[in-house]
Amino acid sequence: MVAPHVLPPYGRFLGITAEATDDGPLFVMPFTDAVVGRPHFVHGGALAGLLEIAAVGTVMAALADVPGASVKPINVTVDFMRGGRERDTYAAAIVSRLGNRIANVEAFAWQEDRSKPIASARMNLMVRRPAKEEG
């Protein structure tokens, strides 16, 4: 489980938690007043936030052996496929390519059935690695 203080403030506001699984980090967003859009549905902005946090968190997990590394979003495309209902929403991401400067990531959000995503995102992230010391 990722400690709550590791998530960005928006992630903590949404109540997102993260846990380590064999397939990488899994992010969970509970249905609370903070994520309500139209009555009985999850707001699209909350879904996009969950997808971004899943993408960034998965890349940071991949960079765990690079102390001081950070990422910054370059662009994101979100596809909303189904309305998110009044239940927990899950998200996970796949790093398609992790280069020295750019990471390409796909993230998916679902509720009851992982094979039926409610939203997906494609992101390009700028990767910042600390400068190597020359010796």
Side-chain angles (χ1 to χ4, degrees):
M1 177 101 169
V2 175
H5 68 276
V6 174
L7 294 171
Y10 186 58
R12 293 193 302 270
F13 172 75
L14 295 176
I16 295 172
T17 58
E19 59 187 78
T21 71
D22 291 340
D23 296 328
L26 175 66
F27 297 83
V28 183
M29 181 175 70
F31 188 85
T32 64
D33 287 345
V35 303
V36 174
R38 61 187 160 112
H40 312 291
F41 286 89
V42 178
H43 190 276
L47 277 175
L50 173 64
L51 290 166
E52 180 179 342
I53 289 168
V56 170
T58 300
V59 171
M60 290 305 296
L63 292 168
D65 60 343
V66 183
S70 64
V71 296
K72 178 179 176 184
I74 297 171
N75 61 15
V76 61
T77 301
V78 178
D79 296 319
F80 298 99
M81 301 171 202
R82 296 178 173 82
R85 305 298 291 212
E86 297 172 297
R87 55 185 63 97
D88 289 351
T89 303
Y90 303 90
I94 300 167
V95 180
S96 304
R97 181 179 182 275
L98 179 58
N100 286 326
R101 299 170 129 185
I102 303 290
N104 307 104
V105 188
E106 292 181 274
F108 299 91
W110 69 93
Q111 292 187 315
E112 294 178 322
D113 185 348
R114 191 171 183 158
S115 68
K116 296 180 180 176
I118 61 172
S120 68
R122 289 174 304 284
M123 290 188 74
N124 296 318
L125 300 168
M126 178 186 302
V127 177
R128 294 181 177 159
R129 299 170 189 258
K132 293 180 182 177
E133 293 183 26
E134 298 196 22

